[in-house]
Amino acid sequence: MIKIEKLSKHFGKLQALKNIDLSLMPGQCISLIGPNGSGKTTLIKSILGMVVPSSGSIYFEDKNINREWAYRSDIGYMPQKGEYPENMSIGQVLDMMIDIRKTPSHLLDNELYEKFELESMLDKRMRTLSGGTRQKVSACLAFMFNPKVLILDEPTAGLDPVATEILKEKIIQEKEKNKLILITSHVLSDLDDLVSQIIYMQDGQLRFHKSLAELKADTGTDKLSRAIAHVM
Ligand code: ADP
């Protein structure tokens, strides 16, 4: 579904991504982990078209999307800290996004909107929201337009246990609909029991991309995967 070839990104002298090759299939739920500064955000922002790669290619369903913006509407994104017009209310932000996407209301997925009970908070201005409520708005927007791919950046940070469980159930449902889900975190997170694959990044490089079964079966030649398997 998403194929990345020899992707590199330089910020001045710093090389944040070093020759990344990666192939992601529908129906996979993948955890992208690695220490802070390892290049996770730069990688997902490249996929989202928010960072222009220095070299390499990104394909979405076999189409090169390096310069093709249209396909990004098939990718739902839940940022770590959503930035919104702070004077707008939740209702106005949701309406604005629906207007921009021109999605007919019968095609919207309102499940998170309902389960997070956002209806009772529609008049609240963005600047007054707690971190958790802001995360709920971001999650609702990521899933609302029925994207084929979901990229969730530290999605449970700031969410209470009930909301985390609601989000988790939603991720499982979407995975069963054959969507591709990529979840980033700097540590192994409370969503790891639903991921099927782990990608580990370090210093701008992809250190490994393995299924959980492979990781668990690892006999110990790879110190890094042993360490991660141990944490799990
Ligand atoms: P992670 O998400 O794993 O914490 P990032 O992709 O945010 O890592 O960052 C990778 C490296 O690129 C870091 O050294 C970071 O300081 C640098 N970096 C990221 N974005 C920028 C930017 N816009 N300008 C300059 N350096 C950046």
Side-chain angles (χ1 to χ4, degrees):
M1 189 166 237
I2 290 180
K3 192 159 182 249
I4 291 171
E5 283 179 355
K6 298 198 180 341
L7 191 74
S8 291
K9 176 65 186 177
H10 295 261
F11 292 111
K13 283 190 183 148
L14 186 133
Q15 190 171 0
L17 295 179
K18 298 175 180 165
N19 228 15
I20 303 275
D21 284 311
L22 192 57
S23 195
L24 308 174
M25 312 292 193
Q28 285 183 335
C29 182
I30 299 160
S31 176
L32 174 63
I33 60 172
N36 280 330
S38 56
K40 304 179 297 293
T41 308
T42 308
L43 178 62
I44 60 174
K45 286 193 170 170
S46 304
I47 297 172
L48 289 159
M50 295 161 72
V51 157
V52 181
S54 307
S55 59
S57 300
I58 304 173
Y59 298 88
F60 182 79
E61 294 180 329
D62 294 329
K63 291 183 188 70
N64 188 319
I65 59 166
N66 280 24
R67 288 186 169 68
E68 178 59 81
W69 294 88
Y71 292 93
R72 261 94 186 197
S73 63
D74 283 325
I75 305 177
Y77 174 46
M78 180 177 170
Q80 220 177 99
K81 187 178 181 302
E83 287 177 18
Y84 302 99
E86 296 298 313
N87 270 332
M88 282 176 117
S89 66
I90 295 181
Q92 285 171 326
V93 168
L94 295 179
D95 284 345
M96 178 181 74
M97 294 310 291
I98 293 167
D99 267 4
I100 291 172
R101 306 290 287 258
K102 296 185 172 49
T103 307
S105 56
H106 70 279
L107 294 180
L108 294 176
D109 178 346
N110 286 323
E111 192 177 344
L112 285 185
Y113 172 77
E114 283 158 17
K115 291 208 167 142
F116 286 151
E117 298 174 351
L118 289 180
E119 191 163 20
S120 61
M121 294 185 263
L122 285 180
D123 291 340
K124 287 201 170 171
R125 287 182 195 273
M126 295 305 297
R127 66 177 146 76
T128 66
L129 301 185
S130 68
T133 306
R134 183 178 286 265
Q135 282 290 83
K136 289 178 185 174
V137 172
S138 295
C140 176
L141 284 168
F143 287 80
M144 192 174 232
F145 300 97
N146 258 312
K148 294 180 180 174
V149 178
L150 283 149
I151 297 181
L152 314 175
D153 196 358
E154 308 252 2
T156 58
L159 282 186
D160 59 67
V162 175
T164 298
E165 212 41 49
I166 291 170
L167 183 64
K168 217 165 158 175
E169 271 171 34
K170 184 69 180 161
I171 293 171
I172 293 169
Q173 272 178 39
E174 297 304 298
K175 185 181 164 195
E176 281 165 5
K177 288 187 211 156
N178 221 25
K179 301 208 175 169
L180 165 63
I181 299 149
L182 188 60
I183 303 170
T184 75
S185 56
H186 65 284
V187 287
L188 291 161
S189 77
D190 39 8
L191 295 177
D192 284 331
D193 51 339
L194 49 93
V195 305
S196 49
Q197 315 239 323
I198 299 226
I199 295 173
Y200 187 84
M201 283 189 76
Q202 197 176 36
D203 191 24
Q205 287 168 310
L206 212 143
R207 293 294 295 274
F208 66 74
H209 178 190
K210 288 183 177 183
S211 70
L212 278 192
E214 278 176 292
L215 206 53
K216 283 177 177 160
D218 200 300
T219 49
T221 43
D222 180 347
K223 246 169 99 178
L224 203 57
S225 58
R226 232 182 32 227
I228 288 176
H230 179 70
V231 182
M232 298 178 58

